[in-house]
Amino acid sequence: TSSELSPTASSPIPISITLSEMVTTLNDSDFTVTNGSASNLTGSGLIYTLEVTPSSTGTVSIILDSNKVSDTAGNSNNIASNLLTWSYSSTPLIPLISSSTADGSDIDNNVIAMSVAFNESVSNFDISDLVLVNATASNFSGSGANYTFDLTPITEGSVSVEIAASTVSSDSISLPNDN
């Protein structure tokens, strides 16, 4: 079975392998990798780890081929594993949130026009992805890589806005957890 195409910017991609019975042979070369290479196989018995290093941006996949692994009885007729697939891009998704109102400006409950520009086209970005402190957001619009919204302070004091981690994705990767 094939897994859903998961976006990643990680390289190498760590893989955990759990076998159904003890084996005596398992090697990097037992795996078929598309758009990458397998290396650093470690473990024993039932549990192993492996790294997949993508060759280039795009789809990366790995499968344990059939008839490659020998069990403790000497049988080497394993069935093929499930296919793991990722959409890899080494370019992180970067948002730039800006406003024509200078930081620290005295706005006295005025609406602040905000814009968000990503370094590539994104999907599933909406008003619920905004993390607001002492403010509300309205009039959210946009598509592709550019969005706008209005930010309205709730009370006197500082206001802030950021994009929640792991909520926005492009065709190739997700917004990292340290936005």
Side-chain angles (χ1 to χ4, degrees):
T1 353
S2 178
S3 64
E4 183 176 322
L5 196 62
S6 300
T8 188
S10 296
S11 180
I13 302 167
I15 307 292
S16 295
I17 303 159
T18 303
L19 301 172
S20 61
E21 63 180 277
M22 301 289 278
V23 299
T24 57
T25 63
L26 183 62
N27 301 298
D28 296 345
S29 61
D30 295 334
F31 297 86
T32 297
V33 180
T34 303
N35 189 27
S37 60
S39 61
N40 299 323
L41 179 70
T42 60
S44 63
L46 299 176
I47 308 294
Y48 290 83
T49 60
L50 179 72
E51 293 179 340
V52 174
T53 303
S55 298
S56 62
T57 297
T59 301
V60 176
S61 64
I62 185 170
I63 190 168
L64 174 59
D65 295 324
S66 60
N67 303 318
K68 293 290 185 173
V69 180
S70 294
D71 65 14
T72 55
N75 301 313
S76 60
N77 58 349
N78 67 286
I79 60 171
S81 71
N82 59 312
L83 177 68
L84 299 176
T85 308
W86 302 266
S87 178
Y88 171 75
S89 175
S90 61
T91 306
L93 183 57
I94 302 170
L96 174 63
I97 302 173
S98 61
S99 170
S100 58
T101 304
D103 286 345
S105 296
D106 183 15
I107 54 173
D108 292 331
N109 292 326
N110 292 325
V111 173
I112 305 166
M114 303 294 297
S115 63
V116 178
F118 291 92
N119 59 326
E120 64 180 280
S121 186
V122 300
S123 59
N124 70 331
F125 180 49
D126 61 41
I127 199 166
S128 68
D129 297 324
L130 301 175
V131 177
L132 306 168
V133 174
N134 192 32
T136 60
S138 60
N139 300 322
F140 187 92
S141 66
S143 63
N146 298 298
Y147 296 82
T148 61
F149 62 94
D150 291 333
L151 190 67
T152 305
I154 297 172
T155 63
E156 192 173 305
S158 296
V159 298
S160 69
V161 62
E162 63 182 51
I163 300 170
S166 302
T167 57
V168 181
S169 59
S170 71
D171 290 339
S172 43
I173 54 145
S174 292
L175 187 64
N177 289 329
D178 60 350
N179 60 334

